[in-house]
Every structure is written in structure tokens, then in C-alpha cells.
């Protein structure tokens, strides 16, 4: 049996669909049992657990051949990242107590970066979970193509997209969540020893310019990228309610300056199958 956290979200849901398609038994780990009902109807077991509840997570992970651990995104962490440290300690104690056979943790590109930024949350959790005695894989995908869902309205209605990724012609390692989930489902079913890292991106790297031209093709209207000046980010993010925008700004700097990169660079990453056009088409249809 495979225990899947984050199953009501993009990646976790698709991981579960991949496993169910292969007739594998799935335990849906949800924080709201009502949201798990559709999964129960698909034949999944259902367990309620918050990612910060060690006791509930222990029950959720007990008896699992393999567990998929997804930590919900936190775009506005405290300066000392104490939320990630607490989550790491909780996960470690739950996994130690439940002793599943293997663990696949959804991490990120750049988890090995030494400069502090938003992704440091995954660095912290990787370090703590890396101390576990059972086999663990850190799956490190690139920037999700589905982040473009934030741009659908402005691309469709105004023909303009604001880009924090800069310059406009700089290729960024991106990946479709369908590929992340497909690879995660494969990894969950593999056997290996110790700690390993799997880095994943799409077939080719994507520039902001390509995002605009792909939207233009799909929408049948001109779409242009508008670069948001770096010096305005802090006040902009604060005006949107962020208390501590520095980690997010440093993450964007890391992508733009190239120090957020795969440990094995482009040559060392696995490549997905799903392209940008297919992802944007789906996002437009879902609007
Ligand atoms: N976006 C990117 O470019 C990117 C790139 C690399 C890695 N990542 C990583 O990918 C992960 C996000 O994956 P995603 O996009 O699939 O997420 P998502 O669609 O936002 O889904 C988040 C999931 O987490 C669950 N969740 C939220 N708060 C929870 C809590 N307190 N306890 C237990 N579960 C909780 C949600 O359940 P509810 O339905 O109950 O809310 C949902 O199932 C993050 O760890 C992020 O850092 C993202």
C-alpha cells in the first residue's frame, strides 16, 4: 500500500491516479475527510492527518510499502524558517515511528543551494529526513509550468503577463506536474538503498518569451511579457500581504542569476515528456 500526502493537490492527486491506474493500493492522507471522499470512491483508504501532527502522520504512514511526502507550499516563511524546521522534525518522528518501507519526498530544484531563499525550506527538510535509516528519494523538480495558472487571466483579458523571471530570453528549468507525478509514482514502486536524489525537468528549458508566444498561439491574440522591475518587488509583495518577502525575492534572484540549478546541471537531470503548450492548453480550458 502506498500512502500519499497532498492528494487533494496537483502533484499528489496525479501520483495517486498513476498508482490506481496500475492497480496499486493507495491510502489517501487528507486533512479534511470530506475532501478525501472522491478518493474513497475510487477505492483508496482514507486517513486524516495534518502535516504538522506527528501522531496522525504515524497512523497514516504505518503499514505502507512506500510513502509520498509533500509539504504544502509556504511563500511567506519566518526569517528563521522555524515552520520548516518544525515540519521536518514532525515528519522525521512520524516516519521513524511508522517505519514505512521507503520514502519519496517532493523537494525542489536548488535544494542544495547554499544561499538562503524560499527553497531553503526544502534544504532544511532534506537534511533532517536524510538522517532516516530507511531508503529515501528526494525528487527535485524544476519550476512547475502550472505556475502559469497565475497568468491566465491577464494573458487572456489584457494580452500582458508580468514576469519576475528575467531576462526575457533566459531559459528556465521547468517541468509539467504530470511528469513530476508520473516519475514520483515510478519511484515509489522502485527499490533502492539509502538516500538518493532524482532531478527532473521538461524536454527543453523555457524562456519567459516562449511562455508569451505560446499563450499568443493558443489564445489567438498578441501576448507580451512585461518584466517587473527588481527594485519594486519588495513593496509589491508587501502590498500583497507578505510579511517577509525576502526569501521569495532571493529565490527569484537564484533562478535569474543561475545559482538555483540542478546539482547535476542540465546534463544530469531526468527529462519529462509533457511540453509547455499542452500545459497551457489545459490551464486555459480549466479557466
Ligand atoms: N510550484 C513550483 O514551481 C514548485 C517547484 C518545485 C517544487 N515545488 C513543491 O511542490 C509542493 C507543492 O505541490 P503542489 O503544487 O501539488 O501543491 P498544491 O496543489 O498547492 O497542493 C497542496 C496540498 O497540500 C495539502 N495541505 C495543505 N496544507 C496542509 C496541511 N497543513 N497538512 C496536510 N496537508 C496540507 C493540500 O490539502 P488541502 O486540499 O486540504 O488544502 C493539498 O493537497 C511544495 O512542496 C512546493 O515547494 C513546487
Amino acid at each position: 500500500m502506498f500512502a500519499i500526502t497532498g492528494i487533494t493537490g496537483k502533484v499528489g492527486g496525479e501520483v495517486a491516479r498513476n498508482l490506481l491506474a496500475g492497480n496499486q493500493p493507495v491510502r489517501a492522507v487528507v486533512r479534511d475527510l470530506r475532501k478525501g471522499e472522491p478518493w474513497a470512491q475510487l477505492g483508496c483508504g482514507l486517513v486524516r492527518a495534518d502535516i504538522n501532527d506527528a501522531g496522525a502522520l504515524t497512523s497514516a504512514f504505518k503499514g505502507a510499502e512506500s510513502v509520498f511526502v509533500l509539504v504544502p507550499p509556504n511563500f511567506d516563511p519566518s526569517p528563521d524558517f522555524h515552520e520548516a524546521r518544525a515540519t521536518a522534525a514532525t515528519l522525521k518522528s512520524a516516519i521513524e515511528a511508522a517505519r514505512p518501507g521507503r520514502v519519496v519526498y517532493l523537494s525542489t530544484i536548488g535544494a542544495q543551494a547554499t544561499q538562503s531563499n524560499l527553497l531553503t525550506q526544502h534544504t532544511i527538510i532534506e537534511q533532517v529526513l536524510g538522517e532516516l535509516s530507511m531508503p529515501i528519494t528526494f525528487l527535485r523538480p524544476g519550476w512547475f509550468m502550472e505556475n502559469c495558472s497565475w497568468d491566465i487571466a491577464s494573458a487572456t483579458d489584457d494580452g500582458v503577463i508580468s514576469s519576475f523571471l528575467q531576462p526575457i530570453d533566459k531559459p528556465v528549468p521547468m517541468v509539467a506536474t504530470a511528469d513530476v507525478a508520473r516519475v514520483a509514482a515510478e519511484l515509489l514502486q522502485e527499490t533502492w538503498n539509502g538516500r538518493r536524489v532524482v532531478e527532473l525537468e521538461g524536454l527543453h528549458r523555457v524562456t519567459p518569451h516562449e511562455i508569451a508566444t505560446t499563450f499568443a498561439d493558443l489564445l489567438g491574440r498578441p501576448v507580451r511579457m512585461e518584466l517587473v522591475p527588481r527594485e519594486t518587488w519588495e513593496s509589491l509583495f508587501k502590498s500583497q500581504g507578505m510579511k517577509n518577502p525576502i526569501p521569495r525575492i532571493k529565490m527569484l534572484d537564484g533562478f535569474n542569476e543561475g545559482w538555483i540549478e540542478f546539482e547535476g546541471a542540465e546534463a544530469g537531470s531526468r527529462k519529462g515528456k509533457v511540453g509547455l503548450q499542452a500545459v497551457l492548453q489545459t490551464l486555459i480550458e480549466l479557466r
Side-chain angles (χ1 to χ4, degrees), residues 10-11 14 18 146 175-184 200 274 279:
K10 288 185 291 295
V11 176
E14 197 57 24
N18 274 275
E146 280 76 2
V175 65
T177 53
D179 279 325
V180 179
R182 178 182 50 77
V183 170
L200 177 70
V274 181
V279 171

Side-chain angles (χ1 to χ4, degrees), residues 73-85 116-121 124 242-248:
N74 178 1
F75 295 102
D76 196 8
S78 302
D80 62 358
F81 297 111
H82 69 77
E83 302 91 348
R85 287 181 214 289
S116 179
N117 73 95
L118 196 66
L119 308 181
T120 302
Q121 297 173 96
I124 290 166
M242 288 184 82
K243 290 199 264 311
N244 177 27
I246 301 303
R248 184 169 172 205

Side-chain angles (χ1 to χ4, degrees), residues 75 107-111 113 115-120 122 140-144 147 163-167 169-175 200-201 205-206 208 230 233 247-262:
F75 295 102
S107 183
T108 178
I109 183 172
Q115 293 197 50
S116 179
N117 73 95
L118 196 66
L119 308 181
T120 302
H122 286 297
R140 294 181 182 168
W143 180 285
F144 291 175
N147 293 343
S163 184
F164 297 91
L165 292 175
Q166 311 176 356
D169 57 352
K170 183 176 192 305
V172 178
M174 295 195 188
V175 65
L200 177 70
E201 61 180 307
R205 296 192 167 189
V206 176
R230 167 76 169 73
W233 293 356
R248 184 169 172 205
I249 290 172
K250 292 302 294 175
M251 176 189 74
L252 292 165
D253 285 345
F255 277 101
N256 293 339
E257 294 166 7
W259 53 265
I260 291 184
E261 179 47 275
F262 292 120

Side-chain angles (χ1 to χ4, degrees), residues 6-12 31 35 49-52 70-73 106-108 122 141-144 147:
I7 197 166
T8 55
K10 288 185 291 295
V11 176
R31 55 179 180 155
K35 279 184 132 181
D50 189 281
I51 207 73
N52 292 306
L70 182 150
V71 169
L106 181 64
S107 183
T108 178
H122 286 297
W143 180 285
F144 291 175
N147 293 343

Side-chain angles (χ1 to χ4, degrees), residues 96 99 129-136 194:
E96 271 171 346
R99 304 215 60 80
L129 298 190
E131 294 165 2
L132 288 164
S133 59
M134 72 270 304
I136 182 159

Side-chain angles (χ1 to χ4, degrees), residues 1-4 7 15-16 19-20 24-28 39 43-46:
M1 176 272 295
F2 299 88
I4 310 296
I7 197 166
V15 171
L19 290 167
L20 291 170
Q24 297 293 342
V26 169
R27 178 184 288 162
W39 292 102
C44 298
L46 213 51

